[in-house]
Amino acid sequence: MAKSSSRPETVGTNAEAAQPGQTSDQPEKLIEELREAIRVRDDFLAIATHELRNPLTPILLGLQLIRAAEKSGNSAKLMHELDRLERQIKHFVTRTNTLLEVAHITSGKFHLDPSKVNLSRLIAEIVNDYMPLAVRIGSELSVDIQNNVTGWLDRAAVSGIVENLLSNAIKYGQGKPIEITLTATAEMAQIAVRDNGIGIDEKDRARIFERFERAVGRQVQSGFGIGLWLSRSFVELMGGSITVFGEPGAGSIFTVSLPLGSEENHE
């Protein structure tokens, strides 16, 4: 008679693999999820740094102008700069409140908040806010804005686009003239920002709209390469387009086209 074994029999070569809810690739999947979480966190920090640094630059310069006006006893200039500073700080607070939504762009969860926006007035205010910075660099700002251009758009997104393009023009414009134009038809608005600075090579025109990319090396200017990516993201979310044309040493022109829409389309 054959002896029976006291050890339990197993089926197959790996009894653990047969247990429900367990797979052999779970550790690798967890590691990949953690890596993705870290990447999203780092992306958010880079975006936050860029979005908060841009409006801080004219705010700090505005404080210097206020000190100068106070020292000279120019009360009219002092009140003008205080009004501008108040507007800049309000805009800064709005931007901090929307940072979490901006970060959602990377996960496709960003939602627009459209409202009736007077583009003519908004762009004029942004140009006014950045005028002292352009003057400090030596660039003359030339503005040609069509009157009373209104559209059903996300105000914060439009502000981000214009600020990024204007900041970019000042940064890379080499102290030369900068032109900002706004034209519109019944359906579309077109915003153009032209500088006469270092320009851009044809091979870089598409690449600079990618995240963390720039057309120039870090020895020219510091930065994360976020602004143009954000601008393109905002433009495309609003159903528009953004293009760039330029030549090395001959400046660049960025052109944004945005559908103006209507309140009926957003009810």
Side-chain angles (χ1 to χ4, degrees):
M1 179 181 293
K3 293 182 179 179
S4 61
S5 172
S6 61
R7 290 182 299 176
E9 293 183 358
T10 60
V11 179
T13 58
N14 190 346
E16 293 183 355
Q19 300 207 6
Q22 292 187 356
T23 60
S24 60
D25 63 345
Q26 277 189 336
E28 289 78 5
K29 182 179 180 182
L30 178 59
I31 291 173
E32 184 58 33
E33 288 175 351
L34 290 172
R35 286 174 176 167
E36 176 65 12
I38 292 172
R39 185 191 66 79
V40 171
R41 180 206 63 185
D42 290 344
D43 287 356
F44 173 75
L45 290 175
I47 292 169
T49 299
H50 180 276
E51 285 295 279
L52 296 180
R53 181 182 56 196
N54 254 11
L56 271 179
T57 302
I59 285 175
L60 293 173
L61 183 55
L63 286 172
Q64 295 175 13
L65 293 174
I66 288 172
R67 289 180 183 275
E70 183 181 27
K71 186 175 181 179
S72 65
N74 189 337
S75 58
K77 176 69 172 176
L78 179 62
M79 292 305 301
H80 173 76
E81 294 300 337
L82 283 171
D83 288 341
R84 173 156 54 189
L85 181 62
E86 181 181 12
R87 185 173 62 251
Q88 290 171 335
I89 291 175
K90 287 179 178 178
H91 179 67
F92 181 82
V93 172
T94 299
R95 175 153 294 193
T96 60
N97 291 335
T98 61
L99 264 178
L100 284 174
E101 289 298 315
V102 172
H104 287 164
I105 290 177
T106 58
S107 59
K109 297 178 181 178
F110 180 82
H111 300 290
L112 295 172
D113 183 20
S115 61
K116 189 174 182 180
V117 176
N118 187 318
L119 281 176
S120 304
R121 185 181 302 125
L122 177 60
I123 293 175
E125 289 176 354
I126 294 172
V127 170
N128 182 267
D129 290 345
Y130 276 80
M131 188 72 74
L133 183 60
V135 170
R136 168 176 282 192
I137 297 298
S139 291
E140 177 184 353
L141 289 183
S142 173
V143 182
D144 185 4
I145 297 177
Q146 184 174 324
N147 291 327
N148 297 319
V149 177
T150 60
W152 203 258
L153 299 161
D154 187 301
R155 183 182 182 89
V158 174
S159 296
I161 293 166
V162 177
E163 288 180 2
N164 281 322
L165 295 183
L166 185 54
S167 175
N168 209 59
I170 294 172
K171 183 185 296 183
Y172 299 114
Q174 296 183 317
K176 297 177 182 178
I178 297 171
E179 305 167 26
I180 303 97
T181 63
L182 169 66
T183 58
T185 64
E187 296 82 20
M188 297 289 293
Q190 187 174 88
I191 305 165
V193 178
R194 179 195 296 269
D195 68 72
N196 294 276
I198 62 176
I200 180 172
D201 195 274
E202 183 176 2
K203 64 182 176 61
D204 293 318
R205 292 177 192 169
R207 181 176 63 81
I208 61 172
F209 290 108
E210 298 301 321
R211 189 169 38 185
F212 309 124
E213 292 286 353
R214 290 176 300 152
V216 297
R218 293 188 180 274
Q219 70 277 12
V220 178
Q221 289 287 349
S222 61
F224 286 107
I226 290 285
L228 293 179
W229 171 78
L230 275 176
S231 297
R232 187 198 67 180
S233 299
F234 285 142
V235 167
E236 292 179 350
L237 283 167
M238 289 186 287
S241 63
I242 181 169
T243 60
V244 60
F245 177 80
E247 299 291 342
S252 304
I253 178 169
F254 288 84
T255 304
V256 173
S257 297
L258 292 172
L260 293 173
S262 64
E263 184 173 1
E264 291 76 15
N265 294 337
H266 295 85
E267 289 179 345

